[in-house]
Amino acid sequence: MDSFGDSSIFLHMNDGTDERSYANNSSLHRKIILKVKPILEETITRLYRDSSPSCIMKVADLGCSVGPNTLLVTSNIIDIVDTACTRLNREPPTFQFYLNDLFGNDFNTIFKSLPDFYSRLVENKGHKFGSCFIHATPGSFYGRLFPNNFINFFHSSNGVHWLSQDPLLGLSREAESLNKGHCHLVSTSPPTVYKAYLKQFQEGFKLFLKSRSEELVTGGAMILLFPGRNETPRRSLWEVISLTLNDMLFEDLIEEAKLDSFNIPTYEPTIEEIRHVIEEEQSLFLQRLEIFTLPWDEGISECGEDSFLDGNISAQFIAKYTRAVMEPLLSTKFEAKVINELFIRFQKKIVQLMKLEKLEYAIFLVSMTKVNP
């Protein structure tokens, strides 16, 4: 996401380990990762069996963020390969894991968790298990991160829907004014604004695929997980944030100029839009494209809460993880008291919406392999 310039340092989740940190508000993300673990197992097993990276297996997690989920995929892949080695009677490979995110990501918290991770690995696998080296690779995944023919497997969860830049940046002032009072796509957004978001997604995703195809070894694979749109119309989280900020604008609680200059750089594509870019770029073969749904409060049980007792508990859970994701970006335009008021109102709006409609994510799973040259 280099095109945001200096503000790219704010495109990250809340760091640290306190109550508002992403590390303590990422159980929904964990549920998404665990939901597709069987497909990850199938892909990694096939990759290891067919390409046999017997010496070194290089894996990159793009948009790794911070918190317990950062090393969850790493652990899962190690377990899968360990099982495959036993089944195929092979020696385990040396693992090289590359954790990627933007420069503002809290890599220090990840580093501090590594001693415990390595200790658990030795405890669970024994000293005879292959070596495991974990590296940080900061930078935008909308461009090259690794040498040619270098990576065996790419994984990215909840990352690709973040755009490389503000989608309305290049529009005329007249076009920008069409979405005035809103910072994302809402039901009243005109076609011009939709087209700008779609164009930015298409350009970024095409560059993403081209970069990964050059970095993958022949026969290498990639799994992407990110929110999208299917045939059932669904309200997006970003729309609720935009509507809440719009309410605050009408009550003169925020400055019009600040809201007009703020756009949330995310786009949730349709299956057809994803297929179109993959087919146009041509360098990767689409193995599978699946969609599943999860409620916005999925994962609340892991936090010790019971959403059936009180709808406000679910709304609070949703507000907390949304704030953990959005606060650094919001802080580029709005002061702390505005952000506090935003999420008080956001939580109340979620309570109201839950009485009227089903709040669900449509999560896309895209599995690809590198086309032979």
Side-chain angles (χ1 to χ4, degrees):
M1 303 182 189
D2 297 335
S3 300
F4 279 98
D6 292 339
S7 65
S8 68
I9 62 172
F10 296 100
L11 291 175
H12 60 84
M13 312 297 104
N14 268 348
D15 56 18
T17 56
D18 63 17
E19 185 183 351
R20 287 183 180 167
S21 68
Y22 184 71
N24 282 321
N25 293 281
S26 55
S27 58
L28 171 70
H29 189 188
R30 178 183 177 84
K31 284 284 187 180
I32 294 172
I33 293 172
L34 294 177
K35 181 89 171 175
V36 300
K37 187 177 178 181
I39 297 170
L40 176 69
E41 184 173 350
E42 177 187 314
T43 303
I44 292 290
T45 301
R46 183 178 62 246
L47 170 68
Y48 188 71
R49 182 193 65 220
D50 295 345
S51 60
S52 185
S54 56
C55 297
I56 299 177
M57 186 168 184
K58 298 175 182 176
V59 178
D61 191 10
L62 307 176
C64 67
S65 192
V66 65
N69 297 331
T70 298
L71 296 174
L72 177 60
V73 174
T74 301
S75 297
N76 288 344
I77 290 173
I78 289 173
D79 289 342
I80 292 165
V81 173
D82 186 29
T83 301
C85 287
T86 302
R87 190 183 304 136
L88 298 170
N89 196 26
R90 292 181 184 170
E91 289 294 316
T94 293
F95 288 99
Q96 288 185 346
F97 287 96
Y98 299 88
L99 304 179
N100 158 259
D101 213 309
L102 291 171
F103 295 100
N105 188 55
D106 185 11
F107 286 104
N108 281 339
T109 294
I110 299 174
F111 297 153
K112 290 174 183 176
S113 71
L114 289 180
D116 285 343
F117 175 81
Y118 285 130
S119 295
R120 289 195 304 272
L121 186 61
V122 172
E123 182 181 335
N124 294 333
K125 303 297 181 185
H127 290 280
K128 293 183 179 179
F129 188 75
S131 300
C132 177
F133 302 97
I134 296 177
H135 313 262
T137 308
S140 169
F141 53 49
Y142 291 113
R144 291 294 300 271
L145 292 166
F146 304 99
N148 287 343
N149 305 307
F150 186 74
I151 297 293
N152 298 103
F153 179 70
F154 279 112
H155 173 273
S156 180
S157 180
N158 273 15
V160 180
H161 65 295
W162 287 95
L163 302 175
S164 60
Q165 67 175 34
D166 181 341
L168 303 186
L169 199 60
L171 295 185
S172 64
R173 290 198 173 188
E174 181 181 350
E176 280 189 45
S177 68
L178 294 174
N179 209 43
K180 197 170 183 64
H182 291 288
C183 59
H184 201 259
L185 296 172
V186 295
S187 59
T188 57
S189 296
T192 305
V193 176
Y194 271 91
K195 288 177 182 176
Y197 272 84
L198 173 59
K199 181 182 178 184
Q200 190 61 57
F201 170 78
Q202 289 173 327
E203 290 177 355
F205 192 43
K206 190 172 184 179
L207 179 57
F208 175 89
L209 294 177
K210 182 177 185 295
S211 300
R212 304 296 80 79
S213 69
E214 292 170 351
E215 294 164 349
L216 275 173
V217 301
T218 300
M222 175 163 66
I223 285 182
L224 308 176
L225 296 164
F226 55 93
R229 306 192 325 272
N230 59 7
E231 294 177 358
T232 305
R234 283 185 171 84
R235 187 183 298 276
S236 79
L237 197 71
W238 323 110
E239 180 185 1
V240 182
I241 292 174
S242 183
L243 293 172
T244 308
L245 284 169
N246 186 253
D247 292 343
M248 294 173 68
L249 174 65
F250 279 113
E251 295 179 34
D252 293 325
L253 296 175
I254 56 175
E255 297 173 31
E256 185 176 16
K258 287 185 177 181
L259 184 56
D260 285 346
S261 63
F262 178 72
N263 292 299
I264 301 173
T266 61
Y267 182 74
E268 298 176 358
T270 64
I271 285 179
E272 292 74 22
E273 289 165 354
I274 295 169
R275 286 188 187 276
H276 174 74
V277 177
I278 294 173
E279 290 171 1
E280 190 176 69
E281 211 284 316
Q282 294 186 328
S283 62
L284 294 170
F285 174 73
L286 181 61
Q287 290 274 9
R288 65 201 301 169
L289 175 50
E290 298 181 9
I291 187 168
F292 59 94
T293 59
L294 289 175
W296 285 13
D297 61 355
E298 182 75 17
I300 192 171
S301 59
E302 293 190 13
C303 301
E305 302 286 3
D306 188 345
S307 59
F308 293 104
L309 295 177
D310 184 359
N312 194 61
I313 295 176
S314 286
Q316 183 183 51
F317 171 75
I318 295 165
K320 286 177 71 174
Y321 73 65
T322 303
R323 183 167 186 161
V325 170
M326 287 297 303
E327 188 161 22
L329 188 59
L330 286 163
S331 68
T332 64
K333 296 292 181 181
F334 307 108
E335 56 269 26
K337 67 178 182 179
V338 170
I339 297 174
N340 288 335
E341 180 65 21
L342 165 63
F343 284 103
I344 290 171
R345 289 166 173 255
F346 175 85
Q347 183 175 325
K348 291 178 180 178
K349 193 176 286 288
I350 293 293
V351 172
Q352 295 167 358
L353 290 172
M354 290 178 77
K355 296 175 182 177
L356 303 172
E357 57 192 89
K358 219 173 185 180
L359 299 179
E360 292 182 320
Y361 295 104
I363 305 295
F364 287 179
L365 180 142
V366 183
S367 175
M368 290 174 278
T369 55
K370 183 171 179 176
V371 177
N372 291 331

